[in-house]
Amino acid sequence: MIDEENVVDPSHPRYKSLMIRKKVADAGVKGMLADSAMIAHGRGEAYDYLLGEQTTPSAMEATREAVARLVRAERPILSLNGNAIALAGADFLTIASQLGCPVEINIFYRTPERMGALLGHLKLLNSKLGLDVEILGGIPDARIPGLEGPRGACQSNGIFEADVILVPLEDGDRCEALIAMGKEVLVIDLNPLSRSSRTGTVGIVDEVTRVTKNMIQMIPEKPSVTEWNNNNALQSALNHIVESLSNKFE
Ligand code: ATP
Ligand code: MG
């Protein structure tokens, strides 16, 4: 359990999951997240519970495919929202440094305070890790066509011109708009039924902190791109849930 002082008991059987939740809670206190962040996280938790809180074989294959496409890309980029930064900011900087690409902060509810908190957090992690990853998003000068208001803001030397884009926990509208721009969109989302999972080029149905760890291992292996069938991959994720639940109480 997480008590009033936000301390997690290590003997709790679902300690790992609670520690991940705590990261979201702590980032909220630091002003890095919108009020809806914990709701989005909770939706992910529910799917992770059904998946057995583990990387399934089909999620591992999707992760490898995404890595292959990032390695092949001419202008890859990692698009980071508040939850992705709160949960795996350091790992995303490591991945960007392995790929030699920038990250761009792209948040749904954009305020100067939240942008400042997220930029500051990533800059701190960059220097703690001894990395020099370019962090974009602070000065948007381009728009993702089809998205109204601040949600469509992006940087011309970042997301706008990228050919392959990794979007953890992305909103379905933005994922669709990026696909419409002709980009390869690699989605990390525990919900195999979300619009992001369904419209992305590759949908990784797995928890973001597990995915980043796997990616860091796989990038040096430079895997090859395959003829990816995303619908088959999403169906495998759903089958995994259904099979693990059938005859549960017999
Ligand atoms: P969509 O807009 O794609 O139809 P949505 O509106 O249900 O989906 P959003 O709130 O836009 O979802 O985005 C949050 C998504 O991120 C959810 O689908 C949720 O399952 C997923 N998610 C939340 N936490 C995690 C996590 N830790 N790891 C991976 N995915 C997560
Ligand atoms: Mg949505």
Side-chain angles (χ1 to χ4, degrees), residues 33-51:
L33 304 177
D35 292 344
S36 57
M38 196 55 99
I39 295 173
H41 184 73
R43 186 158 43 229
E45 273 190 356
Y47 279 98
D48 207 18
Y49 203 100
L50 293 173
L51 285 161

Side-chain angles (χ1 to χ4, degrees), residues 23-220:
K23 283 189 184 177
V24 179
D26 289 348
V29 172
K30 288 184 194 158
M32 288 161 51
L33 304 177
D35 292 344
S36 57
M38 196 55 99
I39 295 173
H41 184 73
R43 186 158 43 229
E45 273 190 356
Y47 279 98
D48 207 18
Y49 203 100
L50 293 173
L51 285 161
E53 295 174 335
Q54 58 178 332
T55 300
T56 63
S58 69
M60 195 64 99
E61 267 180 48
T63 306
R64 187 171 298 281
E65 184 67 26
V67 164
R69 287 165 189 259
L70 285 167
V71 167
R72 179 180 71 170
E74 269 172 36
R75 296 194 66 158
I77 194 160
L78 317 183
S79 167
L80 302 183
N81 67 8
N83 285 40
I85 292 170
L87 293 174
D91 280 356
F92 281 117
L93 290 177
T94 303
I95 291 168
S97 133
Q98 286 175 303
L99 294 168
C101 77
V103 302
E104 179 165 337
I105 304 175
N106 197 248
I107 55 180
F108 200 98
Y109 303 106
R110 195 185 178 99
T111 67
E113 293 75 21
R114 280 189 66 212
M115 275 308 284
L118 291 167
L119 269 169
H121 183 73
L122 281 183
K123 279 185 188 159
L124 195 72
L125 289 175
N126 225 356
S127 71
K128 268 194 191 163
L129 294 166
L131 298 176
D132 191 21
V133 173
E134 194 179 2
I135 301 165
L136 304 175
I139 320 159
D141 59 348
R143 298 203 57 83
I144 303 170
L147 293 181
E148 298 300 319
R151 300 172 50 208
C154 68
Q155 240 172 273
S156 55
N157 59 340
I159 288 175
F160 193 78
E161 279 173 11
D163 55 347
V164 179
I165 169 163
L166 179 67
V167 292
L169 288 50
E170 184 55 280
D171 175 59
D173 280 1
R174 199 144 53 193
C175 183
E176 277 173 17
L178 292 168
I179 289 281
M181 286 175 86
K183 299 181 190 304
E184 273 187 23
V185 181
L186 315 170
V187 174
I188 302 174
D189 190 330
L190 277 159
N191 179 2
L193 300 169
S194 77
R195 285 173 308 147
S196 301
S197 293
R198 286 185 285 118
T199 51
T201 317
V202 178
I204 305 170
V205 182
D206 198 4
E207 206 283 319
V208 66
T209 65
R210 292 197 298 267
V211 176
T212 52
K213 296 275 181 276
N214 289 334
M215 285 188 157
I216 290 167
Q217 296 292 316
M218 285 176 187
I219 290 169

